[in-house]
Amino acid sequence: TALIAPGDPWKAPAEADQLKDPLVGDPKAVQRGEKVFTSLCWVCHGMEGKGDGPTAASLQVRPAVLVAITVQEQSNGALYWKVSHGRGEMPGYEEVLSREDRWAVVHYLKSLAP
């Protein structure tokens, strides 16, 4: 994997914005996403999405602060693409999580908005 400079912005490809979110309007999407987040994501991103999980300090690149406006203003498709593909020390979850679970994580991330 290529080294990523700290502060190097991570942009999903433009076509990610066009991905159709199958969980729009699903009242259980956030709850489902929270279950996935609290089993896999929190150790780096922190329970409140502040990038302060217990393993965060050992990483070369700080985990994203998921409550930040720069994350929250991204499209659901862009966040889905990032969860699916990963970058650097963040693994991609395309082979690990179902499509619906990855979309549910996106809904949970959006629910963290301050």
Side-chain angles (χ1 to χ4, degrees):
T1 46
L3 284 178
I4 299 152
D8 184 19
W10 184 15
K11 297 236 185 281
E15 60 268 18
D17 292 334
Q18 309 308 316
L19 293 172
K20 181 138 176 57
D21 181 344
L23 300 183
V24 168
D26 181 340
K28 294 196 165 108
V30 171
Q31 188 179 7
R32 180 175 179 175
E34 182 178 19
K35 283 185 181 147
V36 175
F37 185 90
T38 56
S39 68
L40 292 173
C41 314
W42 77 275
V43 294
C44 294
H45 291 286
M47 285 303 281
E48 296 174 6
K50 295 181 179 167
D52 58 356
T55 61
S58 68
L59 299 173
Q60 290 177 344
V61 177
R62 293 283 304 177
V65 176
L66 303 172
V67 297
I69 189 72
T70 52
V71 173
Q72 291 292 323
E73 67 188 6
Q74 293 178 47
S75 71
N76 284 16
L79 294 174
Y80 173 82
W81 187 91
K82 290 179 176 186
V83 168
S84 297
H85 294 277
R87 180 177 94 154
E89 293 169 291
M90 179 177 153
Y93 289 97
E94 197 163 28
E95 305 293 321
V96 180
L97 296 173
S98 71
R99 177 173 172 265
E100 290 76 20
D101 278 351
R102 284 178 279 139
W103 280 110
V105 166
V106 170
H107 284 260
Y108 178 68
L109 299 182
K110 292 289 185 144
S111 80
L112 297 174

